[in-house]
Amino acid sequence: MNRELAEHFTKNWLDAWNAHDLPRILSHYTDDFEMSSPVIIQVTGNPEGRLQGKQAVATTILTITGLESTAS
């Protein structure tokens, strides 16, 4: 990845978050995306602190942020 591509990706990712657009946020991740964080343990009760799959990540983002889901 070159600098121009990295800057483009970052701008699009930040714009999606700032627009509170969950489908656009999730478009930056693959369907088999995994996320690990101590916050996941607190929010979901998942003792591994890991989410697997775009839907699990979407659900947790909605829980943490209170964004309205517009995903289909």
Side-chain angles (χ1 to χ4, degrees):
M1 179 180 285
N2 64 32
R3 181 180 178 101
E4 183 179 344
L5 184 58
E7 288 174 351
H8 179 74
F9 178 90
T10 302
K11 181 183 180 328
N12 284 332
W13 187 78
L14 290 172
D15 287 348
W17 274 101
N18 288 331
H20 301 177
D21 187 335
L22 185 59
R24 266 180 64 201
I25 294 167
L26 294 173
S27 75
H28 293 86
Y29 302 98
T30 61
D31 288 335
D32 60 351
F33 174 75
E34 292 187 23
M35 174 187 280
S36 297
S37 168
V39 174
I40 293 168
I41 297 169
Q42 295 172 328
V43 172
T44 68
N46 175 336
E48 295 177 353
R50 183 176 50 166
L51 300 172
Q52 295 179 298
K54 203 181 266 193
Q55 184 57 49
V57 172
T59 300
T60 303
I61 288 172
L62 291 171
T63 300
I64 292 170
T65 65
L67 291 176
E68 293 293 323
S69 176
T70 57
S72 53

